[in-house]
Amino acid sequence: MPFKASELILNPDGSIYHLNLLPENVSETIILVGDPDRVDQVSQYFDSIEFKKRKREFHTQTGTYKNKRITVISTGIGTDNIDIVLNELDALMNIDFSKKEIKENLTSLDIVRIGTSGSIQEHIPVDSFVISKQAIGFDNLLTFYDCKGLELLKDVSESFMQHTKWSKDKSKPYVIGCDTSLFERLKSHETIDGFTGTNVGFYGPQGRILRLSIEDRDLNSKLATFKHKGLSITNLEMETSAIYGLSKLLNHKAVSMNAIIANRATGQFSNNPKETISRLIRYTLDKLTEN
C-alpha cells in the first residue's frame, strides 16, 4: 500500500519535506551536528564537496574525506528535531519515492553525532572527549513509537527514578545503549566512556536557574551521585537518547561523540570551545576512515 501524500510529504522537486534532499544527495555515513554553522567546520576538512543544501536549521553537505563519502547535517537543538532528521534520512534510504513504498532491500546507516556537552563529574575535565556508551533520555519521544522490541535497560531507569525521587509528573526516563561495533571503532585512549543524560531543555531541565524557579533544585547533584552496577551519569546534552532509540528502531548504527566544553561540578567553561570541537571533528573523521 503506497504512503499517502499527507504521510510521506515530498516537495515539488521530489525531495523529502524538511531536509529538502533527494536520495542521491546523502551517503551511508552521516555526521550529525546541532549548529548549522558547524557543518562548515566539519566540511572544511573534506577533500572535496559535491553537494550543499540549506533549509531552515537543516544544513547539509556531502563530500569525501580520505576517499570516504560522508554527509554532514545540522539538526538544530533537541530530540524533536532528531525525530524529523532520523525519519527523513531513513526515508531517503529505504523508501522508493516514485512508488511511495518501502524498498525490499533496506540500507543501514552509520550515524555519528558530534556535539558539545557539559560534564557533571569533577574528574571529567573541560576540553575532553566523551563517547556515549549509554544514554538516559528525559524526553518522551520514544513513547510515541512501538518499542516492544527495543532493548531498554529498565533496571537502570528504575534505579535512577528511586535515587532521584523522580516526579510522577515528568516523563519516565529510558536508558539505551549505542551501537557497540561503531563504539569500538571510534573509542580510544583519547576518549572517556560515557553514560549521557539527554535533557529536554537547556535551563530548567539542566538545573539552571535564571528568573524561573525549578521543580527540583537538587536534580544535578542527584544525577552526579547516581550509581548503578558501575554506571554513573557523565554528561548532559539534548539529542543522544533519541538518536540511539530511533536508530535502533530503524536498524541503523549510532554513536554520540561529545566535546566537553563545561564542567557543571567545578563551574568551569572552556577557554577555547571552538578549538575543542575542531579537535573532536578531526579525531572522528580520522577514526571513520581508518582501515
Side-chain angles (χ1 to χ4, degrees), residues 11 13 15-22 25 53 55 88:
N11 297 310
D13 64 354
S15 62
I16 195 74
Y17 185 56
H18 294 93
L19 299 183
N20 207 186
L21 301 175
L22 296 166
N25 299 147
K53 175 69 72 172
K55 183 180 180 183
E88 293 198 358

Side-chain angles (χ1 to χ4, degrees), residues 152-161 175 226 228-229:
L152 299 175
L153 305 177
K154 293 182 180 179
D155 61 324
V156 184
S157 58
E158 293 293 338
S159 175
F160 172 82
M161 286 188 288
V175 179
F226 171 70
H228 180 81
K229 295 182 178 179

